[in-house]
């Protein structure tokens, strides 16, 4: 399943909680990038793009993501035959969604909606202080991140037409989580997997 939403909508917060539940595995693409050694060529590229609020090029992103997923499979942290993969922050545009079709089957797209851009900016400013995220630090970068979302990521909602569940991300975090869980336990793939005893 995918979590799609503007920066600050709460994808990471909710994804992390779901990832603690047995049979769900959370992968945040931004975290994969942030774990890179910034002295490497790839790490430098990430810093260059993210510090401007822009997306890292698609091929580079999906290649890195797929190496990380293979690594988690090899070390049995993620077991694709029994775990539901919760992807947060990838795909970020239609091109990535097309490339990903060779890697994953998308059953459900959770769209965290927060039409209030000022609220998103407020959350990002708070996060930059709490988590030391330089890519959320300046108003200019925050504005660019929101614009990048509107222009590049939002078209995914149409791309995944029929699989999308809109969830109001302005509610209290616990209510957002509850709404997401209600959607997830309704997925056919979840019901099938719930019957498998491991
Ligand atoms: P996030 O933690 O998801 O907000 O991502 C932080 C930054 O990492 C973004 O602003 C991008 O520069 C980069 N990034 C994360 N995921 C992707 C992706 N799927 N495609 C391209 N760039 C990404």
């Amino acid at each position: 399943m995918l979590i799609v939403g503007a920066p600050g909508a709460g994808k990471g917060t909710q994804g992390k909680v779901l990832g603690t539940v047995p049979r769900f595995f959370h992968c945040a693409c931004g975290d994969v990038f942030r774990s890179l050694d910034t002295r490497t060529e790839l790490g430098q590229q990430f810093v260059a793009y993210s510090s401007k609020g822009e997306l890292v090029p698609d091929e580079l992103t999906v290649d890195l993501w797929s190496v990380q997923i293979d690594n988690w499979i090899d070390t049995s942290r993620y077991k694709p035959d029994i775990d539901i993969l919760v992807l947060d922050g990838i795909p970020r545009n239609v091109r990535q969604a097309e490339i990903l079709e060779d890697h994953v089957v998308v059953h459900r797209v959770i769209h965290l909606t927060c039409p209030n851009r000022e609220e998103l900016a407020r959350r990002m400013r708070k996060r930059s202080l709490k988590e030391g995220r330089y890519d959320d630090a300046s108003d200019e970068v925050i504005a660019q991140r929101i614009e990048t979302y509107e222009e590049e990521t939002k078209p995914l909602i149409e791309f995944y037409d029929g699989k999308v569940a809109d969830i109001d991300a302005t509610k209290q975090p616990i209510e957002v989580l509850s709404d997401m869980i209600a959607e997830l336990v309704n997925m056919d793939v979840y019901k099938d997997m719930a019957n498998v005893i491991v």
Side-chain angles (χ1 to χ4, degrees), residues 29-31 33-34 46 49-50 53-56 61 88-92 96 127 133 135 145:
C29 194
D31 288 347
F33 277 124
R34 276 184 289 277
F46 165 63
Y49 287 101
S50 65
E54 293 172 5
L55 297 181
V56 180
T61 297
D88 137 19
I90 187 168
R92 245 0 200 253
Q96 290 183 13
R127 176 167 74 185
R133 289 227 353 215
D135 56 334
R145 271 166 67 79

Side-chain angles (χ1 to χ4, degrees), residues 73-198:
I73 294 174
D74 289 346
T75 53
S76 299
R77 283 188 60 198
Y78 165 48
K79 305 173 197 72
D81 53 330
I82 53 169
D83 292 339
I84 293 178
L85 182 61
V86 179
L87 286 184
D88 137 19
I90 187 168
R92 245 0 200 253
N93 58 29
V94 169
R95 173 82 190 114
Q96 290 183 13
E98 287 167 350
I99 308 176
L100 275 187
E101 287 191 328
D102 289 338
H103 299 265
V104 293
V105 179
V106 175
H107 292 276
R108 204 91 179 107
V109 178
I110 300 291
H111 177 206
L112 293 180
T113 63
C114 179
N116 182 345
R117 297 303 173 218
E118 201 30 61
E119 170 60 12
L120 291 173
R122 188 191 67 82
R123 291 182 185 187
M124 278 190 269
R125 275 186 225 108
K126 197 169 145 197
R127 176 167 74 185
S128 94
L129 291 174
K130 284 176 75 174
E131 297 172 23
R133 289 227 353 215
Y134 61 84
D135 56 334
D136 288 335
S138 82
D139 286 349
E140 201 186 337
V141 177
I142 287 175
Q144 181 55 51
R145 271 166 67 79
I146 295 176
E147 203 174 311
T148 302
Y149 172 76
E150 297 283 353
E151 283 174 9
E152 300 191 44
T153 309
K154 230 174 164 186
L156 285 175
I157 301 307
E158 209 158 299
F159 182 85
Y160 288 114
D161 190 29
K163 294 182 178 172
V164 179
D166 288 330
I167 287 181
D168 181 355
T170 62
K171 289 187 187 174
Q172 289 300 320
I174 191 82
E175 294 172 49
V176 177
L177 181 64
S178 162
D179 291 348
M180 285 175 68
I181 291 171
E183 281 297 332
L184 296 180
V185 295
N186 258 326
M187 294 187 333
D188 286 340
V189 66
Y190 169 78
K191 289 178 187 162
D192 293 345
M193 289 175 82
N195 293 324
V196 177
I197 298 170
V198 288

